[in-house]
Amino acid sequence: MTSYLIDGLLIVALVVTALRCGRMHKELKDLRQTDLAEALINAEVSLNRAAEALVAARHEGIDTVRQLERQLVDARRVSAELDDRLDRRETTPSAPTEAGADAYRDFFAAAQDMLHASLAR
């Protein structure tokens, strides 16, 4: 009696498995009829475009960093030049100065402070 019950369960499981395999076969057949290969080719093309865009962005970033480094070197050179000029200006005996000379000194001092602040960032 127990063996009939087990045999019955196995037959039911076999029928369910056969039905599921039939449905899976139909779905695979439908997938083959669609343009799966074309979709894969399109996906590959878009991945290649994305990779090219990343490489281009990397090269542009490197160029930008190099330009910024050059500008930083120039800014440091100008800052050192301004320091030298201000030091020379302060150590030279001052002749009777006009009000305009004080304005230039203030202007250069403010420019130097702004330059130092921008280099400190």
Side-chain angles (χ1 to χ4, degrees), residues 41-65:
I41 290 171
N42 290 340
E44 181 183 7
V45 167
S46 22
L47 284 173
N48 287 337
R49 284 184 193 157
E52 289 171 3
L54 285 174
V55 169
R58 179 180 175 269
H59 287 295
E60 289 175 5
I62 290 171
D63 291 341
T64 303
V65 167

PDB file of all heavy atoms in Angstrom, residues 41-65:
ATOM      1  N   ILE A  41      24.565  42.628 -29.243  1.00  0.00           N
ATOM      2  CA  ILE A  41      25.475  43.484 -30.013  1.00  0.00           C
ATOM      3  C   ILE A  41      25.295  44.939 -29.614  1.00  0.00           C
ATOM      4  O   ILE A  41      26.267  45.681 -29.417  1.00  0.00           O
ATOM      5  CB  ILE A  41      25.249  43.272 -31.524  1.00  0.00           C
ATOM      6  CG1 ILE A  41      25.757  41.882 -31.940  1.00  0.00           C
ATOM      7  CG2 ILE A  41      25.943  44.358 -32.333  1.00  0.00           C
ATOM      8  CD1 ILE A  41      25.390  41.492 -33.352  1.00  0.00           C
ATOM      9  N   ASN A  42      24.033  45.371 -29.464  1.00  0.00           N
ATOM     10  CA  ASN A  42      23.768  46.750 -29.040  1.00  0.00           C
ATOM     11  C   ASN A  42      24.332  47.017 -27.642  1.00  0.00           C
ATOM     12  O   ASN A  42      24.871  48.099 -27.372  1.00  0.00           O
ATOM     13  CB  ASN A  42      22.276  47.044 -29.072  1.00  0.00           C
ATOM     14  CG  ASN A  42      21.736  47.124 -30.480  1.00  0.00           C
ATOM     15  OD1 ASN A  42      22.490  47.321 -31.431  1.00  0.00           O
ATOM     16  ND2 ASN A  42      20.438  46.947 -30.636  1.00  0.00           N
ATOM     17  N   ALA A  43      24.224  46.033 -26.756  1.00  0.00           N
ATOM     18  CA  ALA A  43      24.764  46.199 -25.406  1.00  0.00           C
ATOM     19  C   ALA A  43      26.284  46.326 -25.459  1.00  0.00           C
ATOM     20  O   ALA A  43      26.877  47.143 -24.743  1.00  0.00           O
ATOM     21  CB  ALA A  43      24.360  45.021 -24.531  1.00  0.00           C
ATOM     22  N   GLU A  44      26.933  45.530 -26.316  1.00  0.00           N
ATOM     23  CA  GLU A  44      28.384  45.607 -26.446  1.00  0.00           C
ATOM     24  C   GLU A  44      28.823  46.972 -26.990  1.00  0.00           C
ATOM     25  O   GLU A  44      29.787  47.570 -26.504  1.00  0.00           O
ATOM     26  CB  GLU A  44      28.894  44.498 -27.368  1.00  0.00           C
ATOM     27  CG  GLU A  44      30.393  44.498 -27.528  1.00  0.00           C
ATOM     28  CD  GLU A  44      30.876  43.444 -28.511  1.00  0.00           C
ATOM     29  OE1 GLU A  44      30.042  42.791 -29.165  1.00  0.00           O
ATOM     30  OE2 GLU A  44      32.101  43.304 -28.618  1.00  0.00           O
ATOM     31  N   VAL A  45      28.079  47.483 -27.984  1.00  0.00           N
ATOM     32  CA  VAL A  45      28.407  48.792 -28.556  1.00  0.00           C
ATOM     33  C   VAL A  45      28.296  49.876 -27.495  1.00  0.00           C
ATOM     34  O   VAL A  45      29.167  50.739 -27.358  1.00  0.00           O
ATOM     35  CB  VAL A  45      27.494  49.090 -29.766  1.00  0.00           C
ATOM     36  CG1 VAL A  45      27.588  50.543 -30.187  1.00  0.00           C
ATOM     37  CG2 VAL A  45      27.853  48.176 -30.926  1.00  0.00           C
ATOM     38  N   SER A  46      27.213  49.829 -26.691  1.00  0.00           N
ATOM     39  CA  SER A  46      27.068  50.869 -25.668  1.00  0.00           C
ATOM     40  C   SER A  46      28.116  50.747 -24.582  1.00  0.00           C
ATOM     41  O   SER A  46      28.595  51.760 -24.069  1.00  0.00           O
ATOM     42  CB  SER A  46      25.686  50.896 -25.041  1.00  0.00           C
ATOM     43  OG  SER A  46      25.008  49.737 -25.148  1.00  0.00           O
ATOM     44  N   LEU A  47      28.524  49.535 -24.245  1.00  0.00           N
ATOM     45  CA  LEU A  47      29.601  49.381 -23.265  1.00  0.00           C
ATOM     46  C   LEU A  47      30.922  49.925 -23.811  1.00  0.00           C
ATOM     47  O   LEU A  47      31.697  50.553 -23.078  1.00  0.00           O
ATOM     48  CB  LEU A  47      29.762  47.908 -22.883  1.00  0.00           C
ATOM     49  CG  LEU A  47      28.706  47.355 -21.930  1.00  0.00           C
ATOM     50  CD1 LEU A  47      28.884  45.858 -21.759  1.00  0.00           C
ATOM     51  CD2 LEU A  47      28.763  48.051 -20.600  1.00  0.00           C
ATOM     52  N   ASN A  48      31.174  49.703 -25.092  1.00  0.00           N
ATOM     53  CA  ASN A  48      32.391  50.245 -25.701  1.00  0.00           C
ATOM     54  C   ASN A  48      32.379  51.765 -25.709  1.00  0.00           C
ATOM     55  O   ASN A  48      33.403  52.408 -25.451  1.00  0.00           O
ATOM     56  CB  ASN A  48      32.573  49.707 -27.122  1.00  0.00           C
ATOM     57  CG  ASN A  48      33.005  48.255 -27.139  1.00  0.00           C
ATOM     58  OD1 ASN A  48      33.562  47.758 -26.168  1.00  0.00           O
ATOM     59  ND2 ASN A  48      32.728  47.576 -28.230  1.00  0.00           N
ATOM     60  N   ARG A  49      31.232  52.353 -25.990  1.00  0.00           N
ATOM     61  CA  ARG A  49      31.123  53.830 -25.969  1.00  0.00           C
ATOM     62  C   ARG A  49      31.377  54.362 -24.569  1.00  0.00           C
ATOM     63  O   ARG A  49      32.057  55.384 -24.392  1.00  0.00           O
ATOM     64  CB  ARG A  49      29.743  54.263 -26.437  1.00  0.00           C
ATOM     65  CG  ARG A  49      29.550  54.172 -27.918  1.00  0.00           C
ATOM     66  CD  ARG A  49      28.191  54.703 -28.317  1.00  0.00           C
ATOM     67  NE  ARG A  49      27.881  54.348 -29.681  1.00  0.00           N
ATOM     68  CZ  ARG A  49      26.667  54.268 -30.179  1.00  0.00           C
ATOM     69  NH1 ARG A  49      25.627  54.528 -29.415  1.00  0.00           N
ATOM     70  NH2 ARG A  49      26.466  53.942 -31.437  1.00  0.00           N
ATOM     71  N   ALA A  50      30.814  53.680 -23.570  1.00  0.00           N
ATOM     72  CA  ALA A  50      31.016  54.121 -22.189  1.00  0.00           C
ATOM     73  C   ALA A  50      32.489  54.026 -21.802  1.00  0.00           C
ATOM     74  O   ALA A  50      33.034  54.922 -21.145  1.00  0.00           O
ATOM     75  CB  ALA A  50      30.161  53.288 -21.238  1.00  0.00           C
ATOM     76  N   ALA A  51      33.149  52.952 -22.234  1.00  0.00           N
ATOM     77  CA  ALA A  51      34.578  52.802 -21.921  1.00  0.00           C
ATOM     78  C   ALA A  51      35.391  53.896 -22.601  1.00  0.00           C
ATOM     79  O   ALA A  51      36.318  54.462 -21.990  1.00  0.00           O
ATOM     80  CB  ALA A  51      35.064  51.427 -22.366  1.00  0.00           C
ATOM     81  N   GLU A  52      35.076  54.221 -23.841  1.00  0.00           N
ATOM     82  CA  GLU A  52      35.786  55.296 -24.541  1.00  0.00           C
ATOM     83  C   GLU A  52      35.573  56.635 -23.848  1.00  0.00           C
ATOM     84  O   GLU A  52      36.495  57.449 -23.745  1.00  0.00           O
ATOM     85  CB  GLU A  52      35.318  55.371 -25.995  1.00  0.00           C
ATOM     86  CG  GLU A  52      35.788  54.210 -26.844  1.00  0.00           C
ATOM     87  CD  GLU A  52      35.125  54.182 -28.228  1.00  0.00           C
ATOM     88  OE1 GLU A  52      34.344  55.115 -28.533  1.00  0.00           O
ATOM     89  OE2 GLU A  52      35.402  53.244 -28.977  1.00  0.00           O
ATOM     90  N   ALA A  53      34.347  56.873 -23.376  1.00  0.00           N
ATOM     91  CA  ALA A  53      34.067  58.126 -22.669  1.00  0.00           C
ATOM     92  C   ALA A  53      34.873  58.211 -21.377  1.00  0.00           C
ATOM     93  O   ALA A  53      35.390  59.290 -21.022  1.00  0.00           O
ATOM     94  CB  ALA A  53      32.573  58.236 -22.376  1.00  0.00           C
ATOM     95  N   LEU A  54      35.013  57.091 -20.671  1.00  0.00           N
ATOM     96  CA  LEU A  54      35.806  57.094 -19.443  1.00  0.00           C
ATOM     97  C   LEU A  54      37.281  57.366 -19.731  1.00  0.00           C
ATOM     98  O   LEU A  54      37.946  58.118 -19.004  1.00  0.00           O
ATOM     99  CB  LEU A  54      35.664  55.756 -18.716  1.00  0.00           C
ATOM    100  CG  LEU A  54      34.345  55.525 -17.993  1.00  0.00           C
ATOM    101  CD1 LEU A  54      34.278  54.115 -17.446  1.00  0.00           C
ATOM    102  CD2 LEU A  54      34.173  56.523 -16.871  1.00  0.00           C
ATOM    103  N   VAL A  55      37.801  56.775 -20.780  1.00  0.00           N
ATOM    104  CA  VAL A  55      39.205  57.004 -21.139  1.00  0.00           C
ATOM    105  C   VAL A  55      39.419  58.470 -21.516  1.00  0.00           C
ATOM    106  O   VAL A  55      40.394  59.102 -21.096  1.00  0.00           O
ATOM    107  CB  VAL A  55      39.626  56.055 -22.285  1.00  0.00           C
ATOM    108  CG1 VAL A  55      40.970  56.457 -22.858  1.00  0.00           C
ATOM    109  CG2 VAL A  55      39.664  54.619 -21.791  1.00  0.00           C
ATOM    110  N   ALA A  56      38.488  59.031 -22.288  1.00  0.00           N
ATOM    111  CA  ALA A  56      38.606  60.441 -22.681  1.00  0.00           C
ATOM    112  C   ALA A  56      38.534  61.349 -21.456  1.00  0.00           C
ATOM    113  O   ALA A  56      39.303  62.318 -21.341  1.00  0.00           O
ATOM    114  CB  ALA A  56      37.511  60.797 -23.682  1.00  0.00           C
ATOM    115  N   ALA A  57      37.629  61.054 -20.528  1.00  0.00           N
ATOM    116  CA  ALA A  57      37.503  61.871 -19.317  1.00  0.00           C
ATOM    117  C   ALA A  57      38.781  61.792 -18.482  1.00  0.00           C
ATOM    118  O   ALA A  57      39.221  62.787 -17.905  1.00  0.00           O
ATOM    119  CB  ALA A  57      36.300  61.414 -18.496  1.00  0.00           C
ATOM    120  N   ARG A  58      39.390  60.616 -18.454  1.00  0.00           N
ATOM    121  CA  ARG A  58      40.642  60.454 -17.700  1.00  0.00           C
ATOM    122  C   ARG A  58      41.740  61.314 -18.307  1.00  0.00           C
ATOM    123  O   ARG A  58      42.472  62.013 -17.595  1.00  0.00           O
ATOM    124  CB  ARG A  58      41.056  58.989 -17.701  1.00  0.00           C
ATOM    125  CG  ARG A  58      42.338  58.728 -16.967  1.00  0.00           C
ATOM    126  CD  ARG A  58      42.704  57.238 -17.012  1.00  0.00           C
ATOM    127  NE  ARG A  58      43.974  57.001 -16.414  1.00  0.00           N
ATOM    128  CZ  ARG A  58      45.141  57.000 -17.054  1.00  0.00           C
ATOM    129  NH1 ARG A  58      45.161  57.227 -18.354  1.00  0.00           N
ATOM    130  NH2 ARG A  58      46.265  56.768 -16.441  1.00  0.00           N
ATOM    131  N   HIS A  59      41.867  61.281 -19.627  1.00  0.00           N
ATOM    132  CA  HIS A  59      42.914  62.084 -20.278  1.00  0.00           C
ATOM    133  C   HIS A  59      42.654  63.580 -20.085  1.00  0.00           C
ATOM    134  O   HIS A  59      43.592  64.349 -19.847  1.00  0.00           O
ATOM    135  CB  HIS A  59      43.001  61.741 -21.765  1.00  0.00           C
ATOM    136  CG  HIS A  59      43.627  60.409 -22.026  1.00  0.00           C
ATOM    137  ND1 HIS A  59      44.933  60.128 -21.725  1.00  0.00           N
ATOM    138  CD2 HIS A  59      43.118  59.272 -22.547  1.00  0.00           C
ATOM    139  CE1 HIS A  59      45.215  58.884 -22.045  1.00  0.00           C
ATOM    140  NE2 HIS A  59      44.123  58.334 -22.548  1.00  0.00           N
ATOM    141  N   GLU A  60      41.409  63.998 -20.174  1.00  0.00           N
ATOM    142  CA  GLU A  60      41.094  65.413 -19.956  1.00  0.00           C
ATOM    143  C   GLU A  60      41.410  65.813 -18.517  1.00  0.00           C
ATOM    144  O   GLU A  60      41.911  66.908 -18.263  1.00  0.00           O
ATOM    145  CB  GLU A  60      39.630  65.679 -20.275  1.00  0.00           C
ATOM    146  CG  GLU A  60      39.307  65.624 -21.752  1.00  0.00           C
ATOM    147  CD  GLU A  60      37.825  65.768 -22.038  1.00  0.00           C
ATOM    148  OE1 GLU A  60      37.040  66.009 -21.093  1.00  0.00           O
ATOM    149  OE2 GLU A  60      37.453  65.638 -23.215  1.00  0.00           O
ATOM    150  N   GLY A  61      41.130  64.923 -17.581  1.00  0.00           N
ATOM    151  CA  GLY A  61      41.437  65.204 -16.181  1.00  0.00           C
ATOM    152  C   GLY A  61      42.935  65.352 -15.951  1.00  0.00           C
ATOM    153  O   GLY A  61      43.380  66.242 -15.223  1.00  0.00           O
ATOM    154  N   ILE A  62      43.717  64.479 -16.595  1.00  0.00           N
ATOM    155  CA  ILE A  62      45.171  64.560 -16.456  1.00  0.00           C
ATOM    156  C   ILE A  62      45.679  65.864 -17.045  1.00  0.00           C
ATOM    157  O   ILE A  62      46.534  66.542 -16.453  1.00  0.00           O
ATOM    158  CB  ILE A  62      45.840  63.335 -17.114  1.00  0.00           C
ATOM    159  CG1 ILE A  62      45.556  62.079 -16.287  1.00  0.00           C
ATOM    160  CG2 ILE A  62      47.337  63.543 -17.270  1.00  0.00           C
ATOM    161  CD1 ILE A  62      45.994  60.800 -16.958  1.00  0.00           C
ATOM    162  N   ASP A  63      45.161  66.252 -18.207  1.00  0.00           N
ATOM    163  CA  ASP A  63      45.575  67.527 -18.819  1.00  0.00           C
ATOM    164  C   ASP A  63      45.222  68.701 -17.920  1.00  0.00           C
ATOM    165  O   ASP A  63      46.012  69.639 -17.760  1.00  0.00           O
ATOM    166  CB  ASP A  63      44.918  67.697 -20.191  1.00  0.00           C
ATOM    167  CG  ASP A  63      45.460  66.720 -21.221  1.00  0.00           C
ATOM    168  OD1 ASP A  63      46.556  66.164 -20.999  1.00  0.00           O
ATOM    169  OD2 ASP A  63      44.771  66.518 -22.252  1.00  0.00           O
ATOM    170  N   THR A  64      44.046  68.657 -17.322  1.00  0.00           N
ATOM    171  CA  THR A  64      43.620  69.735 -16.435  1.00  0.00           C
ATOM    172  C   THR A  64      44.532  69.828 -15.215  1.00  0.00           C
ATOM    173  O   THR A  64      44.926  70.927 -14.806  1.00  0.00           O
ATOM    174  CB  THR A  64      42.163  69.513 -15.985  1.00  0.00           C
ATOM    175  OG1 THR A  64      41.334  69.422 -17.148  1.00  0.00           O
ATOM    176  CG2 THR A  64      41.677  70.627 -15.096  1.00  0.00           C
ATOM    177  N   VAL A  65      44.892  68.688 -14.650  1.00  0.00           N
ATOM    178  CA  VAL A  65      45.786  68.699 -13.483  1.00  0.00           C
ATOM    179  C   VAL A  65      47.148  69.266 -13.861  1.00  0.00           C
ATOM    180  O   VAL A  65      47.736  70.053 -13.105  1.00  0.00           O
ATOM    181  CB  VAL A  65      45.913  67.267 -12.906  1.00  0.00           C
ATOM    182  CG1 VAL A  65      47.056  67.166 -11.919  1.00  0.00           C
ATOM    183  CG2 VAL A  65      44.615  66.860 -12.246  1.00  0.00           C
TER     184      VAL A  65
END
